[in-house]
Every structure is written in C-alpha cells, then in structure tokens.
Amino acid sequence: MFHLPVLKNRRTLLERAEKFISDVYFTDCNLRGRLYGESCPVETIASFLTPDRITFSEASTQNFEPYEICGTFGPTWWTCWFKVSMTIPESWRGKEVHLLWESDGEGMVWRDGQPVQGLTKEGEKTSYILSECLKDEEPHSVTLYVEMACNGLFGAGQGSMIAAPDPNRMFSVQKAELAILNRDVLKLLTEFEMLVDIVKELGEGDQRGYQALFTVNEMVNVCNPFDPSSFSKAHSLARSFFNQRNGESQHTVHAMGHCHIDSAWLWPYEETIRKCGRSWVTAVGLMEKNPEFVFTCSQAQQFEWVKSWYPGLFSKIQHHVKTGQFVPVGGTWVEMDGNLPSGESMVRQFLQGQLFFNREFGMYCKEFWLPDTFGYSAQLPQIMQGCGISNFLTQKLSWNLVNTFPHNTFFWEGLDGSKVLTHFPPGNSYEMKGKVDDLVKTVKNNKDKGRANHSAALFGFGDGGGGPTQHMIDRLCLVRDTDGLPRVQMSSPSKLFSQLQADSALLCTWSGELFLELHNGTYTTQAQIKRENRQCETLLHDVEIASSLALCRNKTFVYPVEKLQQLWRLLLLNQFHDVIPGSCIGMVVEDALKYYKNIRSDGAALLWEACEALESKGSSTAVFNSLPWERHEVVQITDGTDAPVLALLRAPSVGVSPVKDTQPVTPVSVAPQTDGSVIMENGILRTVVSKDGTLASLYLIAANRETVSDGCAGNQFVIFDDVPLYWDAWDVMDYHLQTRRPVLEVVHPAQVVSSGGLRGSVSFTLRISDKSSVTQEIIMDATCPYIKFSTKVQWAESHKFLKVEFPVRVRSPNATYEIQFGHLQRPTHWNTSWDWARFEVWGHKWADLSEHNFGVALLNDSKYGYSIHQNTMTLSLLRAPKAPDATADMGTHQFTYAIMPHTSCFQDASVIQCAYNLNFPLRLIQCRPETEPWSAFSVSPSSVILETIKQAEDRKGMLVVRLYESHGGSITANLHVNIPVKEAWHCDLLERQDATRPAQITPEGISLSFKPFEIVTLLLVL
C-alpha cells in the first residue's frame, strides 16, 4: 500500500491527518475548506419580532422589516420570524444546493406553510437542503420562513449553563447564504474523521490503531483537495480498511436515534413544545432519507403537544410509527422523577401514557425509558409489570459520585419480588454522536462481559433537544462491521431487549432501589412545589373517592371524567424530573405553581360537587373520611374570627358521619413551669417543651419510656452551609455535615396558645439569621399518639440548609422509610462507602427508627429528605440554592411534621395509618340532621390499605379499586363493600380485565390474597 517508507512517528502522522480535516487550521488548502463550493447571498431577508410564541399562519401575515446580517434581536424568550427570499443561480444546475444559516438561537424552517427542519448551531444543524440535485423544472426562486427562538439549546444561562437565565440577552443571525455542497468531500471527511478517531481511541498498543494511522496517512498522500478525481483513490483506501470484518464473537451495538427533551428545565414548558417540533420534524426528514434509521422517543405529553401544535407533523409521525422507524417508548405521560411521586401518581403516569400511545398509535410500550432521573424507587418493577412492561432502560447511575454500579445488563428485582430486564447503555450517555469513542466506551465499560454481548447506543443531541444528524448516521453506517470496533446495527428497543432476553441465562439480579449517589438536594429544593404536589395528590385522591361514592348513591351524578383527566395530566406534568425535584428555572416554577393553583381550584369544586351529591343538603354538618379505617380525631369545625371551635369526631371508613362531638377519656393538660418550659400530657404522651421550643422530654406513658436521648433535645433546628461542587439546586455534599450549627436565638419564648381539653399547644419564634426566622406551634391533641409541629419559616438565605433533629433512645442498624406502596430499610451506620453515600435519602410520609418493642416515627405533610444516622432522626426542611433559579425557596413556607414514639413494631403501632391521617384531612360537608353514619368500604386486616377508588377508564358502571399490602407480609384480606356490586374481577394497572381471575364476592366481602408489598387492582361491576 505504502510507496515510500513511513517514519514511525505516530504524533506527526496523526496530527497531519487531523489538520487535513480541521475547520480551524489550513482551511485554505485542506479538505475541510472544499466542503462548500460556490456561494451567494440570499436575495432578501426580513424579520418580525414578537414576545409571544405564535402559529405560522399568524406570523406569516405580519409586517416584516428588512434585516441586516449580524443585526441583534431579542430579548431572551422572544421570537423573531424571518422571511427569506432567494434565487438559485442557473449555473448551479445539477448541484446540491443548501441554505447555510448560523444563529445563536434555535430555529425552525417553514416551507409551504409546513415545518420542515430544525436549525440549531449547538445541535450541528446549520444548513437546510434546498435541492439535492437542482433540475430545470424545480423552482429556482424560493421563499422560506425561519422561526427563531431567542434562546439556545440550553436556555440562556448568565455566565454558565445552569445559571439563572439572562433576561436581556440579544441574539443575531451570523450567516444566511446559498452554497453548493460537495457531497464527495463530505463523504471523505467522514472517512478521515473515523480513521483519525480509531487511531486515537484504540491507542498506541493496538495493532489495528496503527493500521488506521498508516491508512489515513496514505489517504492524505493521494487526496488532492483541489482535484476531485483524486478522491476515488482515497475512498478506495478507506473502503479497504472499513471492509475488514470482525470475528463472530464481537460485541454488537444497537444504535438508536434518540432525542431526550426535558419537558421543562432551563426553559419554560411552552418552549419545549417548539423544541419537540424542531427535533422531531428533523428526525422525520432523516427517516425519509435513511430507511434503516430508527428513532426512539418518550413522553406522551410531548406527543400530545405536537399533535395540537403541529398536526401535519403528527400525521407523519403516525405513519413512521407504523413503519417501525419512529418508536414511542417509555409508556409514561412524562419522564417523571423516580423518587418523589406517590405510588398512585406513578401508576397514573403509566396509565395516561399507555392509553395515549394505544389510542394514537395502536400500541403499548414494552419498555420503561427513564434515562435522566435522579434515582429509581424499589416499587417501579412491580408497577412496570402491572402496566405490561418488562424491560427498563436508564443510564443515570453512571453519575454516582462514590460507588460504581456493578452492572450494565441485569435483572432488577423490586420490593415485592417482581423482576424486569434492565439495561444501562455502557457508553454512559443518552446523547452519543456516533463517534468511535462512543463505540469503544460501549465495549470497554460493559461490566457484564461474558454475560451480555449486546448493548444500546443512543445517538442524538439531547436534554435541550436537537436529536440525530445525518453525519451521525453516516458515521455509524461506515463502521457497521469493521475489525477492531464492535458491530453496529441500526436497531430498536424491542430488538435489543429480545436479544438480551435470549442471552439472559448468566445475568445477575439487583434487589431493591436503584439509589443515585448524587442530586440528593432535589429531595428538598423548591419546597413549595413539593408541598403542592403532595396536597394535590391528596385532593385528587379524595375527589375520585367522593365522586365514585356519589356515582353509587346518586343516579343523577355524572362522574367528571374529562376534568379529572385534565387535572391528573397537569399534576403528572409537574412530576417531570426537573420540576418536582426543583432543578428548573424560575419561569418553570411559576408555571408549575400556576398549574397547582388550577388543580386546587378545580379540584375543590369537583370535591364540593361530589360531596353535595353524596348527601342531601341540610343545616347540619357531616364529616367525609376518604381513608379505609375509622378515625377518631380532633377537628376544627368552624372558621370564625374568634377562637376556633374544636370537636373530637368519629368518622367511618370511606364514608360519611354527622358531626357528633365526643369527649376524650383523658383531656389534654397544659402546665406552664416556672423555668419557662411547658408540660403537655394527653394520657398517651407527656412532653416537656423548653422555652426555646425544643423537647426536653417526650414520654410514652403506657410503656414507661423516654424518647429523647440523655443530655439532648428533640425538635432542634439546625442549619448547615450548603455549597455543592457544581449542581447547585441538585446537590448537597457530604461535607455540609461538618458545618452544623444549632439555631439558638429565641425571639419569642414558648407560650401557651391552647390551654388543654381537646388540644394543647405552645408557640415560639427563633431567629435563624438577621434575614430568616421560624415560628412554630407544637400541638398535642386528645387521643392522638403523635405531637404535631405546625411550622412557618420566613426564609431569605443563600446556600444554607435548614433541618430539624430528634436524637432518640433507640439503637438499630437500620431505619425504615415509606416509599410508593410500601417501605424499605436503609442503614443508620456508615460502615461502607455504599452506606455513607446515603447520608441524605428520600422517603415519603414517614420514617421510623425502631428496636425490639419500641421505636420512634417521624411523620410529615410535605417533606421528602431524611437523614437517620445512629440514633439521630433528621428531617430536611429548606435549601437556598441560586442556580438555575436565583430566588429558589425565598419567602414564606408552611409545613407540619410530627413525632410519634410507640411500642412494638411500627406496623402494629399504626404508624402507617397515622401518617395517612396527617396528610388526608377529614373534610366537612353539609347534611340533613337525620343523616346516619355510613361506610362504603373497609378492609381487614389493617395491613392492607385501600389506596384508590375511581371510575374505570372509558367504561361507565364500573369502579376500579386499588389495594396494597403495607406491612411486608403475605396475608389474606377481606375488602368489605357496602355498595351494590354485581361482579368483581382482577385487572392490571392499565385496568385490563383478567378474564381468568374473578374475585369471589361473599357476605363477608371480597377475599384477596397478598404477597409482601403486592399491589392488587380490581374492577367492580356496579
């Protein structure tokens, strides 16, 4: 091959080849400089600027003014529409003609009133093909519109990508011209690039790398950039190299086009709609030119947006779904956070997503697709299986800060024993570029060598959209089967997982949660979003139950199907993995809070309508209980301007009872002490509240046990410095624990607010800093086994972290945390790196620390971050990051938490039920004086919880009820039903009836068998 001796100087030969294709050096004489031939300016370019995101039909009728190249437009988040007229020179006949367009904004090309391609410099899309081979009959005069969003692929961060957006950034178009593309040059450039990368990636110790080096060097020798006739010799050399095949044992990479688009992040929801349009129309264009190209795409919400905003594009997508090129994946409404949404919310993500995909495309997704979420609940495998999904793809655990996850392909076993085949692409990315290093990393990083010989490579610009390019496809096609690299095939998720399943005999199993050792500040950031999420989940739960009962008791009641779907979809949208975690810009927070306000307003109206239908209007007051057990608790029954009127009420399980005040066996006593402390007692608990608001003592009377550790105080507020390494809203680092400072300055010492009887309470105020304070009312109710802490914080800090601590007299190597439809244990020690990497963890309504026959539970109404180390239980309250939202968490916060000492285990002590009670208020409704108490549903034993009652999707006259086993044991339970039910059937989480599994209805109820933490769903035919 080589006609002259070649010196063995790897560096010079490699750099020679690199410079030959450089777009920076020697472009006057290298190959890159010949990519485009003749060029000419566009004929005219005019612009129209608007602060709104408007349709093409509206934009095209506006008054366009002349625009000069490099002229500025903006500011951030505005839109500049361009009308571009051009005439292609006659002499370019037979040539490939491009519009070259470079701007720092995101663009969409519109032609003949339809979107045709995205233009984004950051996404390597800076040209639009006007003609692949200009013919006489083609129009030589063309007018296009370009819709330019005044933001980049990653928003408009001021100074860094994740900084708060610069609201005053201006944008410009730097290039708008016609040019002839030399297709042969582009092909050669790809061959040169891939050979150079093979040299670099395979390294000096690899024989194949040196073969690539000498091949590319000889290609430089024979290729004259100014003589196209020399190109064939260079092509021939490249072909000889790339056509040398692999052996039979080589790893296979399943290449799939991909475009991860965050539904909101560093840009608002509304801009995401346009990102989807720009990215997907470009992908459809690539499908039309590359029949083997497959594009995977998740999030039903984004499809719904595109259907509404770009109906022509959506029709094309439907066509390409049928051909197998455009592959909907994931099965969920959005790519939600994997930790914080409730179990029912996760079910609804799949229910809404799968129903949408089935309705629009005639298919259900078979793989769950969640590549960028900050951890994965141990209940997800069971939820997936219940929604017809048995495969799972993500890669986020490659971001672990401390420990390297040991697998790439494995079975993931959930809390109940359900298993799903799971794949982490070994390239550790969901936005590869089809380069050699992507392929080499995929093989090198595979931790299951010998067990799995197939891997995914997802290619295309992501996060901010963009997606694949033709260049990426060309790279991958060039190395389909080249010795020294893995085999590459354009593939689909179903092909990948079918192959992995077929070869799964040696795969390992990972049991339990997939905990991300990073981004654990997201359990706390943007506390208002988290509070609204919890309360809206509660509200929709109650609306559905009240509406279902009204359906059974009132024949004129119409179940609000469409409105409930609308509210659920808003809630699910806000559970996107950069919204509910709080890792988004302030504009997104504003949108999210607006959506929560809509859910609250409309949900409250639906609840009122349902409750009115439950009972005839009257002059008396009744209480509605949506939970599946009888409740006996103190309720405020009027909202007057004087002192609130309290009553101790009994409320039947899932039912209604008129308000009848009962008297407690032991009223609450409140006794101020001479030292400024206050003693409160209710027959169950006795506590000493110090004048600074801490608990000097919390005594469980029947057990004769003190809760608070010797020499310590409970309810101790503490503040930490909170400066992460980079990801401000996302991360809290381990070293923050070394900066602990107790909040000690008392502004208003403890004073009695409620003096006893049904309720005793004490309030106090502490100064956190000269800018922030906390005011709290400590509440003890009659008959209540826990003490509540109703808290109001004025918060104006910067990079601080507020928590509250309870050092308790319990010794246990593990603490228990509620998760979706169950609970799990995590260590309280830091023996190993896997243990101490969990210095901050997530949980839902409760966490518990127990030894034999005694324990303490920490309950809350809106918090998710916990830390239980040794015997100190800590609840995370507020953070103060400054990026990407410069005002994150600033302002007033209100929340409640509670402490509950107990005997026996937490299951038998009703900790789970108490946490539900704290989160699901008894609701007051009107009724007639003669109304009798009634209960629609109850469950025995109490370990089985009736979580959901709703009307079946698309079927009137049928209810869906969902239950789960909450204690972690196998059991047979009875669901007692006090409404007329004709039939009962088991169904999956998509409400598809299992005709082989009728549920037997007996006078005692419906008998059901449960495995530990099993979710059971029934269809009840009314």
Side-chain angles (χ1 to χ4, degrees):
M1 179 191 293
F2 307 105
H3 309 299
L4 294 172
V6 178
L7 297 174
K8 293 184 178 180
N9 190 325
R10 182 175 180 273
R11 175 183 169 182
T12 59
L13 297 188
L14 177 57
E15 285 200 26
R16 180 196 188 198
E18 288 179 313
K19 295 300 191 297
F20 192 68
I21 58 173
S22 171
D23 59 1
V24 177
Y25 301 102
F26 309 115
T27 54
D28 63 319
C29 59
N30 73 3
L31 186 63
R32 178 74 61 179
R34 308 282 76 74
L35 180 59
Y36 289 100
E38 291 181 60
S39 64
C40 69
V42 298
E43 197 166 17
T44 63
I45 181 168
S47 67
F48 157 69
L49 188 63
T50 172
D52 302 316
R53 298 174 178 92
I54 61 176
T55 63
F56 171 81
S57 58
E58 184 180 351
S60 60
T61 63
Q62 302 301 315
N63 184 30
F64 284 75
E65 299 289 339
Y67 173 80
E68 294 289 333
I69 296 297
C70 294
T72 59
F73 54 88
T76 310
W77 309 126
W78 284 46
T79 301
C80 194
W81 285 82
F82 291 90
K83 184 176 183 180
V84 186
S85 298
M86 59 206 88
T87 300
I88 304 172
E90 291 289 336
S91 60
W92 291 9
R93 190 181 300 110
K95 305 295 186 182
E96 182 170 340
V97 183
H98 286 209
L99 168 65
L100 304 186
W101 183 279
E102 292 186 14
S103 174
D104 43 4
E106 287 194 87
M108 169 81 95
V109 181
W110 292 80
R111 188 170 188 174
D112 300 326
Q114 293 297 319
V116 289
Q117 187 191 298
L119 288 172
T120 309
K121 191 173 182 180
E122 295 165 286
E124 296 181 2
K125 297 178 182 70
T126 56
S127 71
Y128 168 67
I129 301 175
L130 293 167
S131 175
E132 293 185 343
C133 182
L134 186 65
K135 297 181 175 63
D136 287 337
E137 60 269 22
E138 288 186 74
H140 286 41
S141 293
V142 180
T143 297
L144 302 176
Y145 289 83
V146 180
E147 177 189 11
M148 290 301 303
C150 295
N151 52 264
L153 209 55
F154 291 90
Q158 192 163 13
S160 76
M161 181 185 76
I162 65 166
D166 177 358
N168 300 311
R169 180 180 294 185
M170 301 300 287
F171 296 78
S172 67
V173 175
Q174 297 93 42
K175 178 185 286 188
E177 63 185 34
L178 303 182
I180 296 173
L181 177 82
N182 294 317
R183 180 64 60 177
D184 269 356
V185 172
L186 182 60
K187 182 180 178 183
L188 260 181
L189 285 171
T190 303
E191 292 168 345
F192 269 103
E193 173 198 348
M194 295 299 276
L195 283 163
V196 164
D197 285 351
I198 288 171
V199 176
K200 291 193 286 189
E201 293 301 323
L202 296 188
E204 295 188 45
D206 192 280
Q207 166 73 13
R208 188 67 170 150
Y210 273 97
Q211 291 175 359
L213 177 66
F214 293 141
T215 297
V216 77
N217 183 65
E218 184 65 7
M219 286 172 66
V220 177
N221 288 336
V222 302
C223 179
N224 179 356
F226 299 93
D227 180 9
S229 67
S230 69
F231 294 172
S232 61
K233 295 179 182 178
H235 281 312
S236 178
L237 290 168
R239 274 198 306 273
S240 296
F241 179 90
F242 289 117
N243 287 342
Q244 290 181 293
R245 303 305 183 201
N246 276 295
E248 290 295 317
S249 66
Q250 184 59 275
H251 192 86
T252 299
V253 172
H254 293 250
M256 299 173 231
H258 188 242
C259 181
H260 177 65
I261 302 178
D262 289 318
S263 290
W265 181 29
L266 303 176
W267 51 86
Y269 282 125
E270 200 170 82
E271 189 56 42
T272 305
I273 300 172
R274 300 200 298 188
K275 285 178 175 287
C276 292
R278 291 187 287 262
S279 303
W280 295 2
V281 76
T282 305
V284 166
L286 292 173
M287 292 172 199
E288 292 166 353
K289 295 179 182 178
N290 303 273
E292 78 284 3
F293 170 61
V294 175
F295 180 70
T296 56
C297 194
S298 67
Q299 306 192 72
Q301 170 69 87
Q302 294 184 4
F303 283 89
E304 200 270 341
W305 280 334
V306 168
K307 180 183 179 183
S308 175
W309 281 55
Y310 306 100
L313 170 59
F314 190 76
S315 295
K316 289 185 177 182
I317 290 171
Q318 288 179 309
H319 167 74
H320 286 288
V321 169
K322 289 179 182 177
T323 66
Q325 284 186 275
F326 203 117
V327 182
V329 293
T332 50
W333 190 246
V334 296
E335 288 189 9
M336 72 280 194
D337 180 79
N339 301 323
L340 308 184
S342 70
E344 188 60 30
S345 287
M346 285 192 166
V347 170
R348 300 305 176 93
Q349 287 284 355
F350 286 98
L351 180 65
Q352 289 297 324
Q354 290 282 57
L355 292 183
F356 179 90
F357 289 132
N358 187 51
R359 182 173 63 252
E360 299 296 341
F361 305 119
M363 48 86 74
Y364 292 106
C365 299
K366 295 297 183 184
E367 55 286 307
F368 184 33
W369 200 271
L370 203 58
D372 192 30
T373 288
F374 314 146
Y376 304 88
S377 166
Q379 270 293 27
L380 275 169
Q382 183 179 187
I383 295 172
M384 282 184 243
Q385 290 281 17
C387 296
I389 289 174
S390 54
N391 303 313
F392 175 44
L393 182 143
T394 185
Q395 63 81 47
K396 198 64 177 185
L397 263 65
S398 67
W399 285 46
N400 270 7
L401 194 63
V402 180
N403 299 286
T404 300
F405 193 78
H407 306 297
N408 286 101
T409 304
F410 59 100
F411 286 103
W412 179 22
E413 183 178 71
L415 201 60
D416 73 316
S418 297
K419 288 185 179 182
V420 290
L421 179 57
T422 300
H423 181 65
F424 296 176
N428 297 337
S429 174
Y430 49 77
E431 51 169 339
M432 293 179 168
K433 306 301 184 290
K435 293 190 174 183
V436 173
D437 70 316
D438 295 329
L439 303 176
V440 171
K441 277 194 295 186
T442 294
V443 176
K444 188 181 295 184
N445 293 351
N446 180 21
K447 301 181 189 71
D448 296 284
K449 296 180 179 74
R451 287 190 287 262
N453 207 26
H454 293 257
S455 297
L458 310 180
F459 66 95
F461 288 94
D463 289 331
T469 66
Q470 183 64 53
H471 197 190
M472 297 176 191
I473 297 172
D474 292 343
R475 288 170 183 149
L476 291 167
C477 289
L478 188 62
V479 292
R480 287 179 186 275
D481 189 3
T482 294
D483 185 26
L485 297 178
R487 283 196 183 87
V488 178
Q489 66 180 55
M490 292 292 174
S491 188
S492 65
S494 62
K495 289 179 182 177
L496 168 70
F497 280 107
S498 294
Q499 191 64 58
L500 293 176
Q501 185 68 55
D503 300 336
S504 63
L506 298 178
L507 294 182
C508 299
T509 296
W510 179 274
S511 184
E513 68 180 327
L514 295 173
F515 185 87
L516 177 65
E517 296 171 359
L518 197 70
H519 292 358
N520 39 14
T522 60
Y523 315 149
T524 307
T525 304
Q526 298 288 8
Q528 187 68 10
I529 284 180
K530 292 170 171 62
R531 180 174 185 262
E532 292 284 351
N533 174 75
R534 180 82 64 85
Q535 293 187 354
C536 287
E537 287 177 333
T538 299
L539 176 60
L540 294 184
H541 167 277
D542 286 4
V543 170
E544 287 186 331
I545 290 181
S547 297
S548 298
L549 300 189
L551 199 62
C552 299
R553 292 176 62 88
N554 188 329
K555 292 182 180 179
T556 65
F557 180 77
V558 179
Y559 194 91
V561 174
E562 291 183 4
K563 195 64 183 178
L564 270 171
Q565 182 187 74
Q566 176 191 341
L567 298 184
W568 264 112
R569 285 182 172 183
L570 280 180
L571 181 62
L572 299 178
L573 173 59
N574 277 349
Q575 290 173 350
F576 178 74
H577 65 251
D578 278 308
V579 180
I580 190 173
S583 49
C584 52
I585 61 173
M587 290 177 73
V588 177
V589 176
E590 292 171 10
D591 283 344
L593 295 179
K594 179 180 69 178
Y595 293 160
Y596 288 129
K597 185 178 179 181
N598 293 342
I599 297 169
R600 279 180 172 277
S601 174
D602 293 349
L606 293 180
L607 183 60
W608 176 255
E609 291 168 10
C611 288
E612 274 196 321
L614 276 178
E615 287 293 337
S616 301
K617 292 182 182 178
S619 58
S620 296
T621 302
V623 63
F624 167 60
N625 174 23
S626 67
L627 296 179
W629 47 79
E630 182 181 81
R631 296 166 69 173
H632 190 211
E633 59 192 68
V634 175
V635 176
Q636 182 176 318
I637 59 172
T638 62
D639 291 316
T641 55
D642 299 322
V645 177
L646 301 175
L648 181 59
L649 307 180
R650 287 192 183 275
S653 165
V654 191
V656 172
S657 176
V659 168
K660 293 182 180 178
D661 194 6
T662 61
Q663 294 302 311
V665 174
T666 305
V668 180
S669 64
V670 180
Q673 305 297 298
T674 57
D675 62 358
S677 65
V678 179
I679 299 176
M680 294 192 291
E681 184 174 336
N682 68 354
I684 302 171
L685 303 172
R686 181 171 66 247
T687 188
V688 179
V689 181
S690 300
K691 61 183 179 181
D692 63 357
T694 59
L695 302 189
S697 171
L698 178 58
Y699 202 74
L700 186 58
I701 295 171
N704 198 28
R705 288 287 298 258
E706 172 61 52
T707 301
V708 179
S709 294
D710 286 336
C712 299
N715 197 41
Q716 176 66 65
F717 289 98
V718 287
I719 195 163
F720 301 80
D721 295 338
D722 185 17
V723 184
L725 298 176
Y726 176 72
W727 296 101
D728 201 353
W730 294 258
D731 289 349
V732 56
M733 310 309 297
D734 52 354
Y735 52 74
H736 88 284
L737 296 170
Q738 300 174 8
T739 67
R740 175 187 179 276
R741 296 186 302 280
V743 177
L744 301 174
E745 185 177 350
V746 178
V747 177
H748 299 296
Q751 58 184 17
V752 175
V753 176
S754 298
S755 56
L758 292 181
R759 173 172 290 171
S761 68
V762 173
S763 74
F764 64 94
T765 299
L766 303 178
R767 180 173 286 114
I768 298 170
S769 72
D770 59 350
K771 297 175 286 188
S772 304
S773 63
V774 55
T775 298
Q776 190 172 73
E777 185 178 4
I778 303 176
I779 300 169
M780 177 181 281
D781 282 345
T783 74
C784 186
Y786 53 84
I787 294 176
K788 293 183 287 187
F789 301 83
S790 178
T791 312
K792 181 176 182 180
V793 179
Q794 297 289 346
W795 186 245
E797 297 301 307
S798 178
H799 291 112
K800 301 295 181 187
F801 199 162
L802 181 67
K803 307 183 186 184
V804 65
E805 295 177 345
F806 290 89
V808 297
R809 296 191 187 186
V810 176
R811 179 171 177 79
S812 175
N814 295 296
T816 307
Y817 302 83
E818 187 195 35
I819 67 165
Q820 298 83 358
F821 298 121
H823 57 263
L824 52 71
Q825 291 190 329
R826 300 183 181 110
T828 59
H829 55 76
W830 293 343
N831 282 0
T832 71
S833 61
W834 292 90
D835 300 330
W836 67 256
R838 302 183 188 206
F839 59 87
E840 179 82 5
V841 299
W842 65 273
H844 283 199
K845 298 184 292 292
W846 59 268
D848 184 86
L849 184 64
S850 289
E851 60 189 37
H852 175 65
N853 212 34
F854 181 75
V856 182
L858 188 54
L859 322 177
N860 76 83
D861 73 347
S862 59
K863 300 300 174 185
Y864 296 90
Y866 295 88
S867 173
I868 302 179
H869 180 52
Q870 296 180 348
N871 69 321
T872 299
M873 307 180 74
T874 305
L875 184 66
S876 297
L877 303 178
L878 293 169
R879 296 186 69 223
K882 299 303 173 188
D885 178 6
T887 61
D889 282 312
M890 298 298 98
T892 302
H893 297 268
Q894 291 184 301
F895 49 85
T896 297
Y897 54 88
I899 191 78
M900 180 181 171
H902 59 83
T903 55
S904 69
C905 61
F906 69 86
Q907 293 99 325
D908 294 341
S910 298
V911 164
I912 299 169
Q913 285 77 9
C914 287
Y916 269 92
N917 292 349
L918 183 66
N919 280 268
F920 290 79
L922 293 171
R923 300 190 185 271
L924 300 177
I925 64 175
Q926 289 181 316
C927 70
R928 299 190 311 272
E930 65 271 21
T931 296
E932 293 292 328
W934 59 269
S935 167
F937 292 88
S938 60
V939 189
S940 60
S942 61
S943 60
V944 173
I945 292 178
L946 175 57
E947 179 71 17
T948 300
I949 307 169
K950 64 181 286 289
Q951 181 174 280
E953 296 290 321
D954 303 322
R955 281 170 290 181
K956 294 181 179 179
M958 298 181 76
L959 293 182
V960 168
V961 296
R962 189 158 13 261
L963 310 94
Y964 72 97
E965 197 288 315
S966 68
H967 286 187
S970 298
I971 200 161
T972 299
N974 267 312
L975 172 64
H976 308 284
V977 183
N978 297 319
I979 58 174
V981 174
K982 297 176 185 176
E983 301 173 23
W985 295 87
H986 286 267
C987 65
D988 66 7
L989 296 180
L990 300 184
E991 304 178 11
R992 297 178 295 192
Q993 180 178 331
D994 185 347
T996 67
R997 296 187 65 199
Q1000 191 68 36
I1001 304 174
T1002 69
E1004 290 74 36
I1006 301 173
S1007 180
L1008 300 167
S1009 296
F1010 288 83
K1011 296 181 294 184
F1013 302 117
E1014 184 179 4
I1015 306 164
V1016 171
T1017 306
L1018 299 177
L1019 279 171
L1020 304 182
V1021 182
L1022 302 179

